[in-house]
Amino acid sequence: MAFGSVRRKEDARLIRGQGRFVDDMDLPGMLHGAVLRSPYAHAEILSIDVSAALQHPKVHAVLTAAELGDMAWMPTLSADTQAVLAGDRVLFQGQEVAFVVADDRYSARDALELIEVEYEPLPVVMDARSALAPGATPVRDEGNHVFDWEAGDRAATDAAFARAEVVVEQDMVFPRSHPAPMETCGAIAAYDRVEGKLTLWCTTQAPHAHRTMYALITGLPEHRIRVVSPDVGGGFGNKVPVYPGYVCAMAASMQLGLPVKWVEDRSENLMSTGFARDYAMRGRIAAARDGRILALDVDVLADHGAFNATAQPTRYPAGFFSVFTGSYDVEAAHCRVTGAFTNKAPGGVAYACSFRIAEAVYLVERLVDCLARELGVDPVALRRQNLIRPEQFPYASKTGWVYDSGEYEAALDEALRLADYSALRAEQAFKRSRGELMGIGISFFTEAVGAGPRKHMDMLGLAMNDGAAIRMSPTGTAQVAISVQTQGQGHETTFAQIVAHELGLSVDDVDVIHGDTDNTPYGLGTYGSRSTPVSGAATAIAARKVRDRARLVAAAMLEVAPEDLVWREGRWSVAGDPSVGASIPEIAAAARGTIDLPAGVETGLDAEAVYDPPNLTFPFGAYVCVVDIDPGTAVVKVRRFIAVDDCGVRINPMIVEGQIHGGLTDGIGMALMETIAFDEDGNCLAGSLMDYLIPTAVEVPDWETGMTVTPSPHHPIGAKGIGESATVGSPPAIVNAICDALEVAHIDMPCTPSRVWEAMP
Amino acid sequence: MAGSVRVTMTVNGAQQSAEVEPRLLLVHFLRETLGLTGTHVGCDTSNCGACTVHLNGEAIKSCTLLAAQADGAEIKTIEGMGQEGALHPLQEAFWEHHGLQCGYCTPGMIMASADLLERNPKPDEQEVREALAGNLCRCTGYHNIVKAVLAASEAS
């Protein structure tokens, strides 16, 4: 049993400053690239003059769209094309216009100042509603409409609303935010002209998918591209897409035959890389007077920016938003999402959203609170009345999902117990009588993670399956190469634990290899909390293949029939005589040795697996948030936050808790502080950490966590994903608490002091 | 950029000297000139603290100081924490209490924490949080970092 809170293998280097992040690397002859960006949100480019920049003594090249030719445009993960460098027109402020390559990063930035670009500003389109209004300025030649997408049963939903005794409608915006990993995006491209091989060290969460993209973009054969994702300083979905800076570095290295490094600044990261959210939602909830929820309906306007570069499965243009019926057993539901182009940076799916589930959970958890307010009932009681019951799993939702498992009421009860909910309500009543503003917010959410089954889910036509390959050494230690890519989630430890657990090895005797496309199996990478559900499953299955092979070898070693052997305490031993047996290290030595192997059994114990998940996993959680609002300053303080999460089997509870702490902090950021705002001319107002505020140690409370364990029945080790649960589940709990304190129906995020002040009774 | 200046400083106990541009930031001097890449860059506005090192015994953000301004100074970076083969108590505590995930803020976080414990060996939780308000972390939610710093304080 190797599961448990073992401390992390990767920490040994990271606490000593010996991690290896992209910008830490230096290669012989390496040059440095920098991007010239548009100062306008929308403008024609009349001319670009790079002659002065080229005369700079330390400059080696200046790329523009004209120079890039076929590489001036690249495919996106949403089957759109995105400009690598703008040719005739810029479509958002911060868009890439030119790329300078120089001896060092200081000279490269000097040379940016020497490029003359003549712009003719055009009218800007800054939100989805005005983008789709008649007569709107076209952001793209093909118009501003990206897609319409529907799920659920409109007729049944309309019928339920028509006969409902209570209908509550609420407009709400999940504002544009940004994942803002501490390490920005960057890459080093090194093209070897002799071998015809391109190596790209890159901050990517999906090294293999990137390799395929780079083959499409550069025209190089895929087996001559090597992508290496080294240590990554946080991803949070920001490092899934391909960015123009990567492509420029590749193009420059191919042109110059030298390595080229590009690392963006924070301002570039915030202004030009994948944003999150930006959903304007009109939600409706229908109920009987007794509190039974009948139906949910929602219309969404999705702002996708200037290019549709949203990272999600091909057939899901609004991601998994259709899980918006949440944890409740409703009769009917319908959603419609319309996407629009605007003069903003592309993105949308990022920041631990699990493909738009952050938006879906926010919608339903706010609507249920609005309904509770309308009915005058406790929001906990209303939820309890409508939760899907344990015996209903696997539960087929009205929008087409099959939830794997859940014991919702048990998790809710645990959260209420930890919070001492009734005492909190009593405290609140007392404080209200004194005019103090205290709020209690509940969120009960269901996630859907582990994309996904190849029948339904692909990116760029690539099935969302993932792999693991185990190599057993003759001395009985193991290396497991995985197709997913950690960005701090602890894969080097937890994936070793899975192998150790399955093979009866010590965790120290298993090392994890990841991020290098030359020596790891193909897969789609880490995002959407899919590592444990998909590659984690592949790892367990590969280990079981090792174990099955080991049984045959052990049978030969012990001169018994394989059927006479049982797996017990990490050894194959003779049934009825545990003293006769062999451990995996002993068998590994024999398998590489000279004993006669049975026919059909190959030398060694190596094994591989690619896992096509039969379904997603559906972790869930019950959150309680307590806020105090200063009546004089309108500052919201999250005083307590109780989070009970159920992600099935916990491989490493310590790591799971850390994931939850981080996600809860995201929730505080989104609910109270963070937004990428623009002015009417399209200027980004959140282009630095002076304006884009993320929580410090002072804004967050001591997190209070609890757990229940409802394994996923279809997962090899019963584990569900967890990484994004807290980011998804916490914003509605916080906003519900604020609305509860203010006794208002709704307030849009971020609930800054000025907004809360406006909303005060 | 015309001109250069010679800077000499003691970094992690060893004297270092180089000709640098006057505009070179200390963080780039440490990372690129000396190859001490444990110190990180997380922003361009002096907010994040990933570049925190000690200058003459006090925590400073090395992105907001020129290398030339550190001429003659004594600098300590994450690579200088702990003795050969023995971790500094803060490194040990961050590991033991899972005070890091991606590890990008960790070097700056440890340097800022060391400065706190130097000034205030027995801080309470609120004092730890306030002392680390200049260091942003996106992974841990700070909870385990606070625990680690308090544990290191207990241990010493």
Side-chain angles (χ1 to χ4, degrees), chain A residues 8 105-106 110 665 695 697, chain B residues 23 28 32 101 129 141-142:
Chain A
R8 300 199 321 165
R105 72 177 81 224
Y106 284 62
D110 286 342
T665 306
Chain B
R23 64 174 175 171
H28 289 137
E32 294 175 6
Q101 292 180 27
R129 289 182 179 277
Y142 303 104

Side-chain angles (χ1 to χ4, degrees), chain A residues 118 145 198 211 395 429 736:
Chain A
E118 207 180 340
H145 180 261
L198 174 70
R211 190 187 72 188
Y395 173 82
N736 285 346

Side-chain angles (χ1 to χ4, degrees), chain B residues 50-140:
Chain B
C51 64
T52 304
V53 301
H54 292 180
L55 177 118
N56 297 329
E58 282 187 27
I60 57 113
K61 294 181 178 180
S62 63
C63 75
T64 310
L65 201 74
L66 300 170
Q69 289 174 286
D71 188 38
E74 189 155 328
I75 302 286
K76 189 187 260 192
T77 70
I78 188 68
E79 290 90 345
M81 294 293 275
Q83 306 301 312
E84 186 78 20
L87 293 173
H88 186 279
L90 275 164
Q91 291 172 312
E92 194 71 61
F94 269 65
W95 196 350
E96 187 63 29
H97 294 276
H98 190 32
L100 65 149
Q101 292 180 27
C102 80
Y104 200 78
C105 77
T106 310
M109 205 60 93
I110 288 176
M111 299 313 287
S113 302
D115 181 48
L116 165 69
L117 295 184
E118 187 65 34
R119 288 180 287 108
N120 180 1
K122 298 288 170 196
D124 63 22
E125 183 194 325
Q126 191 57 30
E127 287 171 332
V128 173
R129 289 182 179 277
E130 283 168 13
L132 296 180
N135 291 74
L136 297 175
C137 170
R138 297 294 281 154
C139 296
T140 65

